[in-house]
Amino acid sequence: MAGKRFRPIAAWVSAVVVFTVGSVTPAFAGDLAASKPTSKWLAAQLAPDGTLQNPLGGALPDHGLMIDTLFAMYASGDGALAASIVKYLDDDHHATDYYTWDGLVPGQGYDAIITGGAAAKVLVAAEIAGRDPRSFGGHDMVAETLGTIARSGVDKGRVSDYSKNPDFKDFVSNNANVFGQALAVIGLAGAGLADRLVIDTMLKQQCSDGFFRIFFGLIPTTETGDQVTPDGHRISTCDEGKPFDQSTPDGDATGIALSAMLAARDAGAANLDAPITKAVRWLKAHQTASGGWGGGVGTEAPNTNSTGLIVQALADAGCADAAMASGTAFLRSAEATAADAGTPLGDQLGAIAYTPAEYQAARTTGIGGLDTWIRASAQAALGLSQVGFHDLTLGHAGAQGPPDPGCSPPGPPPPPPGEKPAPTGDHAVKPPLSPKAGTPAVRPGSPRGTVVVPVDAPAPVTGPTPADRLGGYLASRLVDGDHVEVAQDGKTFVDYDLTADLVLALHTLGQQPDAAARASRFLLSPDSIRAYAHGAPYEQGQAAYAEPLAKLQIVARFPESGADAEAVGQLRTDLAALRTASGEFTDTGEFADTTGTLRRHTWAALATTAGADLTEAPTGMLIAHQCADGLFPAVLTGKPCATGDLTATAAAVEALNAVPRDGRAPGNVPPAGWTPEHRQALESAAAALTTRTGPDGTVAAAGGQPDPVLTAAVAGGFSAAGLDASKAAQALGALVLADGGFPKTPGGPGDPGASIAAATGIAGRTWLDADGSPLTTAVRLPLAQPLAAGSHGGVVPAPAALGSPALWLAFRLSGAALVLAFALAAGLRHLITRTPRTRG
């Protein structure tokens, strides 16, 4: 797998060697006609001996890219074009140059040092090429791959970099990652093996949101045993790694892991339906409007490299026809075709650019950076071919097989003869809404009441993480499965506001998506909107409330809500009508909230930002009310304030740092358009929250004892600013009760309101960065670039990139391995040390 991500760049770095592809066919037909010219173009880039130059230089060719090219050729049905690559790796015995260190320092015994991901990739290449994988390049690649799986110790279950020679063991830093793990699963499945240990270890790298991270990570633990390092750390699961910034979503890793799960299921592995479904759901939710997908850190923007990998994985799953059609169109829009005759691309038929924009530029200037085009073409071609990885390993090259059973667990049994089957997928019959939609809430301005526990509440969720348990608890508070009720004065009422908060809490946790979807539908029913946002039945005239309108608009913008564009547009219009000339949002109606709460304005500002339909930033009025110490007041009085409120400040940080998602990822450079005042307000608010947080991440109440709810709110402010909230997440996670509830005070019972408030702190993020959120955080503090002197609408540009993005990323990923290689070549064995393994 190739492209600007540059992972398959050197034989000795598992973090770089393990990009690959493949997938089975769907009901949607792939585009073999478009992939064949690409295979021929790739063949024209090969040297006579089948090699491709390594852009980092050196004597060794780029074996990883050569194998990616082999995959593309076989997928299009043109495996004969890869004959020179196969000969180089197998007949000429150069495969060991890739998955051992012998090619770097020949004849010195370094063939005992094995790179796990590269060994797995060679196994897959041997299978796809139709060679004997147990005698490829003079070695048994099935045995070599099995040998990379740690069977005990800290790395148990990992496909690892290791040394067969104990004398060299300290030379090796285990950089093996999820790509290598997935390749091993695919290669072993091709050999008819479903190694449960390696499969389960891969599954632990899937977060509850559905995505896979790429790097393993270590977290502190009080456990004992051989899985714990001498300094008290163990490998985290994906969810456990979130508070430690170890679990960034990675589209490429999710795509290759999906292919691996499908291959393993075909090879007989059980209990994979649910993780497959979650991965497909996440990928479909993160396709951009262009039809493309991005990868991970450094490649977040849509590109053909990531899109090719993801399209072929979804094709294997067989349940994403619309997504695949859009993805294929994205790939085709970057491919040189006969229509380019007469342009500099006229003799480059089949070449695929990294992005459609780069293709358009090349029509005028020609191909620049050939290596990037080769990498993009090799992986994008697989998305066009849509021939599955497992199919390829079994020799089904260039011919699309039957669809996979699907990405969801088996459905209901077929109907009796003569009856029509029940609709499925997007046309499935959704559970009916509770008949209580639109019934009165507690009268505006009166106390909330006590949350009602449904009589049929499900049993507590006994998941492995606090987020699992808390998500289950919150879902169990939904009466009829779709709303929260409260009791007051012997009567029960629907609490629409708490229902909306609960929905956003579930999105934040990445838990219980079905419950979040049902509650969203309840909230967005016309009757519920009238009751929640317009005060029915209490209001007799026209009335509208800003905070409910804002929350409803945000809930509606999550894909799971199923809201139509007309409904979202009306919510936006109604909210905009409440904005005054001063920039503040005010309620209207007999029961309108006339207090100038900051809470109302922050929600309205967030919803307005999500709509992105106003030219004036909705945060200007908010900034004007910041107190002298950096905090924000709970009520906007219009008067100067010396100090403010911690919960209000955390909400203000969320509003100040929110931008429309639009495929972007937060960095440390302010967006164009931020004023110096905007930047200063965010930085000073975050600093004020920091000074009020203890060394253990908690915030004390008036009596000096840690306040769980206040700690969660401040942790949310940290997360919204991109700061480290891991200590708070640890402290709060320890308070989650056996039934999943969270206490209002330490040692107390679970409290629904406190449980909702705790979600941000326990998840280590706000809903801004949840899957499907219409918003994301703009920056992560601290900011690197100062605003230009005298500037009131822009920032100093970021420094020029160090070479091409692809090359810079390659050096960043493979720097440790380069040092090792150069040290070995110079014979400086004793200068080699193990690098820290906290990044896996």
Side-chain angles (χ1 to χ4, degrees):
M1 314 271 128
K4 289 194 174 181
R5 189 146 201 172
F6 236 61
R7 285 197 175 129
I9 202 142
W12 18 260
V13 194
S14 60
V16 183
V17 296
V18 288
F19 252 69
T20 182
V21 292
S23 135
V24 184
T25 26
F28 172 82
D31 201 340
L32 286 174
S35 65
K36 285 180 176 293
T38 302
S39 289
K40 293 177 181 177
W41 182 84
L42 287 168
Q45 313 312 312
L46 296 173
D49 63 353
T51 60
L52 289 167
Q53 183 180 1
N54 192 323
L56 292 183
L60 294 176
D62 194 330
H63 297 90
L65 183 55
M66 291 159 58
I67 295 177
D68 289 336
T69 300
L70 178 153
F71 293 156
M73 291 169 172
Y74 274 93
S76 70
D78 299 296
L81 296 175
S84 59
I85 301 175
V86 178
K87 179 179 182 299
Y88 185 87
L89 295 172
D90 187 12
D91 301 337
D92 298 339
H93 289 197
H94 285 297
T96 54
D97 293 345
Y98 182 46
Y99 71 89
T100 79
W101 287 13
D102 189 54
L104 294 168
V105 189
Q108 299 297 313
Y110 290 108
D111 57 344
I113 296 180
I114 308 297
T115 304
K121 191 168 185 178
V122 171
L123 169 61
V124 176
E127 292 169 340
I128 291 176
R131 296 295 181 98
D132 182 0
R134 295 189 180 274
S135 180
F136 188 81
H139 294 271
D140 183 342
M141 294 312 304
V142 176
E144 291 284 8
T145 300
L146 288 170
T148 68
I149 303 169
R151 300 293 174 178
S152 62
V154 176
D155 293 321
K156 183 177 180 180
R158 281 182 71 181
V159 171
S160 300
D161 305 339
Y162 78 106
S163 175
K164 297 178 180 179
N165 185 342
D167 292 341
F168 296 159
K169 67 177 182 178
D170 290 332
F171 292 1
V172 185
S173 177
N174 189 8
N175 294 308
N177 58 30
V178 173
F179 274 89
Q181 198 80 18
L183 285 168
V185 172
I186 291 168
L188 293 174
L193 302 174
D195 190 302
R196 197 70 225 189
L197 178 61
V198 75
I199 294 169
D200 288 343
T201 301
M202 182 183 73
L203 293 178
K204 291 178 181 178
Q205 309 319 307
Q206 183 181 33
C207 274
S208 54
D209 313 61
F211 69 83
F212 281 76
R213 62 181 183 179
I214 183 170
F215 296 117
F216 292 82
L218 290 172
I219 59 171
T221 182
T222 58
E223 299 173 16
T224 58
D226 70 344
Q227 80 279 9
V228 179
T229 65
D231 62 347
H233 289 74
R234 64 167 175 82
I235 291 178
S236 65
T237 65
C238 186
D239 282 329
E240 289 172 338
K242 285 180 178 179
F244 299 89
D245 196 26
Q246 296 175 350
S247 300
T248 302
D250 194 299
D252 294 316
T254 305
I256 191 65
L258 175 56
S259 288
M261 290 189 289
L262 292 162
R265 185 168 70 179
D266 286 346
N271 301 320
L272 291 174
D273 287 338
I276 287 170
T277 300
K278 289 169 63 177
V280 171
R281 182 185 294 127
W282 188 88
L283 288 170
K284 290 168 68 175
H286 286 75
Q287 186 175 26
T288 65
S290 67
W293 282 269
V297 176
T299 60
E300 297 91 345
N303 63 82
T304 58
N305 186 291
S306 300
T307 301
L309 174 64
I310 291 168
V311 166
Q312 64 80 27
L314 290 175
D316 196 349
C319 59
D321 290 1
M324 288 186 294
S326 298
T328 302
F330 178 85
L331 297 172
R332 290 297 304 272
S333 71
E335 182 182 18
T337 67
D340 293 304
T343 76
L345 291 179
D347 59 349
Q348 304 292 335
L349 184 67
I352 300 177
Y354 183 68
T355 65
E358 291 182 17
Y359 157 74
Q360 291 293 341
R363 299 187 83 234
T364 301
T365 62
I367 289 178
L370 178 62
D371 179 78
T372 296
W373 281 70
I374 297 173
R375 296 176 188 282
S377 297
Q379 193 160 304
L382 288 148
L384 294 174
S385 299
Q386 296 182 12
V387 180
F389 220 151
H390 195 53
D391 268 2
L392 288 172
T393 61
L394 298 180
H396 304 159
Q400 297 167 335
D404 186 90
C407 64
S408 300
E419 291 188 19
K420 293 182 178 180
T424 59
D426 293 337
H427 304 289
V429 177
K430 296 180 173 65
L433 291 179
S434 168
K436 296 180 181 178
T439 56
V442 172
R443 183 179 292 273
S446 64
R448 164 162 270 154
T450 304
V451 174
V452 174
V453 179
V455 294
D456 57 349
V461 173
T462 57
T465 69
D468 291 319
R469 299 194 298 276
L470 181 59
Y473 173 88
L474 293 178
S476 73
R477 304 301 101 170
L478 293 171
V479 177
D480 298 335
D482 58 17
H483 69 279
V484 177
E485 292 186 4
V486 293
Q488 184 189 66
D489 299 331
K491 298 180 180 180
T492 58
F493 302 87
V494 173
D495 194 321
Y496 298 95
D497 191 59
L498 204 57
T499 303
D501 289 343
L502 189 148
V503 167
L504 292 176
L506 290 178
H507 284 309
T508 300
L509 293 166
Q511 298 289 330
Q512 304 289 331
D514 292 340
R518 288 188 65 182
S520 297
R521 289 178 53 231
F522 179 92
L523 287 169
L524 295 169
S525 69
D527 290 338
S528 291
I529 292 174
R530 283 192 290 271
Y532 182 30
H534 300 287
Y538 304 109
E539 297 281 5
Q540 300 305 307
Q542 294 293 320
Y545 306 152
E547 184 176 331
L549 284 168
K551 287 184 180 178
L552 286 170
Q553 188 183 155
I554 290 168
V555 167
R557 290 181 182 277
F558 277 87
E560 291 84 354
S561 73
D564 58 42
E566 183 178 354
V568 176
Q570 187 60 54
L571 291 169
R572 183 174 66 241
T573 299
D574 290 347
L575 177 62
L578 299 180
R579 193 177 188 189
T580 66
S582 68
E584 187 173 353
F585 290 84
T586 60
D587 292 349
T588 61
E590 180 183 353
F591 293 92
D593 181 1
T594 57
T595 60
T597 62
L598 180 135
R599 175 187 172 94
R600 178 171 67 239
H601 188 76
T602 55
W603 278 110
L606 286 163
T608 302
T609 300
D613 59 346
L614 296 180
T615 55
E616 181 186 354
T619 52
M621 197 278 291
L622 183 65
I623 294 169
H625 286 78
Q626 191 170 21
C627 298
D629 64 350
L631 297 176
F632 282 82
V635 179
L636 305 179
T637 63
K639 300 178 181 179
C641 52
T643 188
D645 177 83
L646 291 178
T647 301
T649 303
V653 168
E654 201 170 66
L656 288 170
N657 202 27
V659 290
R661 182 169 293 273
D662 295 338
R664 76 181 76 200
N668 64 351
V669 177
W674 271 25
T675 64
E677 293 79 12
H678 191 145
R679 170 178 177 156
Q680 183 179 1
L682 176 64
E683 291 181 319
S684 59
L689 292 176
T690 302
T691 60
R692 287 155 176 82
T693 304
D696 61 351
T698 65
V699 180
Q705 294 297 314
D707 186 320
V709 177
L710 193 57
T711 297
V714 172
F718 285 158
S719 299
L723 295 172
D724 180 18
S726 59
K727 289 185 177 179
Q730 285 182 282
L732 294 171
L735 296 178
V736 174
L737 304 173
D739 67 352
F742 189 85
K744 184 179 291 188
T745 57
D751 177 83
S755 298
I756 291 171
T760 294
I762 288 173
R765 67 178 186 183
T766 72
W767 62 264
L768 296 178
D769 291 316
D771 288 343
S773 171
L775 298 172
T776 189
T777 46
V779 297
R780 295 189 183 279
L781 298 180
L783 298 179
Q785 293 296 315
L787 287 161
S791 168
H792 292 281
V795 298
V796 177
L802 301 177
S804 73
L807 195 57
W808 167 240
L809 185 59
F811 276 112
R812 186 173 69 83
L813 287 173
S814 60
L818 282 169
V819 171
L820 288 171
F822 293 155
L824 281 169
L828 302 178
R829 300 185 183 182
H830 297 293
L831 295 182
I832 301 171
T833 58
R834 284 181 67 87
T835 56
R837 294 166 55 194
T838 55
R839 295 292 297 172

